[in-house]
Amino acid sequence: METLSLNYMLYIINGFPHIYYDVPKIDIEEVQKRTDDFYQMMNARRSVRTFSDKPVPKVIIEKLILTASTAPSGAHKQPWTFCAINDPTVKKAIRIAAEKEEYDSYNGRMTEQWLKDLAPLGTDWEKPFLEIAPWLIVVFAQSTGLNKEKHYYVQESIGIACGFLIAAIHEAGLVTLTHTPSPMNFMKTILNRPDNERPFLLLPVGYASEEAYVPDIHRKSLAEVAVFY
């Protein structure tokens, strides 16, 4: 152990440096309050499809992406790339390509049961939010590093990072929805991404429109989603 300063201590574990994690000491009442407050905030979250074109500063998008990138990942490889698009020309190209895939899905690829399950949400193949929302964030999963270094648990890692991103967007007072036109290979072409990346998720980000309506959905109860032993 080597003391570097009064407030910073460096430990060597298995030959690698570790720093002291100074976790704030919080009493149980504050833990309860924070838990309740965060649940109430996230339970109010909805996927929004009607966006305002009101600008969102780039610095906000940068901080949202940095927040997402704090997510844990296999061997801390952080196997993700967040492509943030504000350029109207690029957004239009993405909309055209996405709507082509969505049209084919809604008119032949999807099963009758799938279409029936989607009906209450009011979705269709047209996606105007891809041009209206001030930002699109396309998340790419890196199968390996650029120099072919191994990545681990890529699917799980990027899924967690996207969860962080969605929570951060909602906490900021903005809205989003998860959009996954399938197949999404056109994203690699439009955004000129390298061979080690594949598109994982598209998130439009911005303010909700003045008259935003969302489906009247109800989430499963605790008893339906959890088992305690």
Side-chain angles (χ1 to χ4, degrees):
M1 181 182 71
E2 179 185 354
T3 302
L4 300 183
S5 73
L6 291 177
N7 299 316
Y8 180 85
M9 302 187 75
L10 178 67
Y11 290 80
I12 303 299
I13 300 176
N14 294 331
F16 293 93
H18 286 62
I19 59 173
Y20 177 66
Y21 182 29
D22 189 12
V23 185
K25 305 300 186 289
I26 303 171
D27 61 40
I28 193 62
E29 289 79 12
E30 180 64 17
V31 171
Q32 181 70 58
K33 181 180 184 304
R34 291 187 182 198
T35 303
D36 290 343
D37 289 349
F38 190 73
Y39 166 70
Q40 294 300 332
M41 182 195 70
M42 293 306 296
N43 194 42
R45 185 205 61 80
R46 292 294 186 273
S47 294
V48 173
R49 292 173 173 81
T50 50
F51 284 77
S52 165
D53 62 0
K54 179 180 178 181
V56 174
K58 180 183 176 184
V59 66
I60 292 175
I61 302 301
E62 291 173 342
K63 195 56 63 74
L64 292 173
I65 290 172
L66 283 172
T67 300
S69 204
T70 67
S73 60
H76 192 56
K77 293 297 184 179
Q78 300 178 277
W80 46 64
T81 302
F82 299 91
C83 294
I85 301 114
N86 179 247
D87 186 320
T89 303
V90 181
K91 289 196 295 180
K92 183 177 181 64
I94 289 175
R95 179 183 178 183
I96 290 170
E99 285 187 335
K100 178 184 181 303
E101 298 298 345
E102 293 282 19
Y103 181 87
D104 291 344
S105 292
Y106 276 87
N107 292 276
R109 289 177 182 162
M110 292 179 178
T111 64
E112 287 301 317
Q113 183 61 51
W114 193 347
L115 292 170
K116 182 179 178 181
D117 289 338
L118 286 174
L121 303 180
T123 63
D124 59 30
W125 64 270
E126 295 184 281
K127 309 297 178 184
F129 55 77
L130 293 175
E131 287 191 89
I132 298 172
W135 290 92
L136 304 180
I137 299 179
V138 183
V139 188
F140 284 84
Q142 300 173 2
S143 56
T144 67
L146 275 175
N147 296 317
K148 304 301 181 183
E149 61 268 27
K150 178 73 173 174
H151 283 172
Y152 309 91
Y153 299 106
V154 173
Q155 195 84 350
E156 294 86 349
S157 300
I158 197 144
I160 296 168
C162 288
F164 274 40
L165 179 55
I166 292 167
I169 291 167
H170 185 66
E171 165 66 17
L174 302 174
V175 296
T176 189
L177 75 143
T178 54
H179 183 46
T180 53
S182 182
M184 267 202 295
N185 292 331
F186 63 86
M187 292 291 187
K188 288 190 66 167
T189 302
I190 292 174
L191 300 176
N192 194 29
R193 301 312 305 160
D195 290 341
N196 68 312
E197 294 184 359
R198 58 176 176 76
F200 181 85
L201 183 65
L202 188 159
L203 294 165
V205 181
Y207 292 96
S209 64
E210 288 295 327
E211 294 188 2
Y213 290 87
V214 295
D216 185 18
I217 60 171
H218 301 278
R219 296 186 169 103
K220 292 180 179 180
S221 68
L222 180 64
E224 293 174 290
V225 301
V227 180
F228 293 85
Y229 293 91

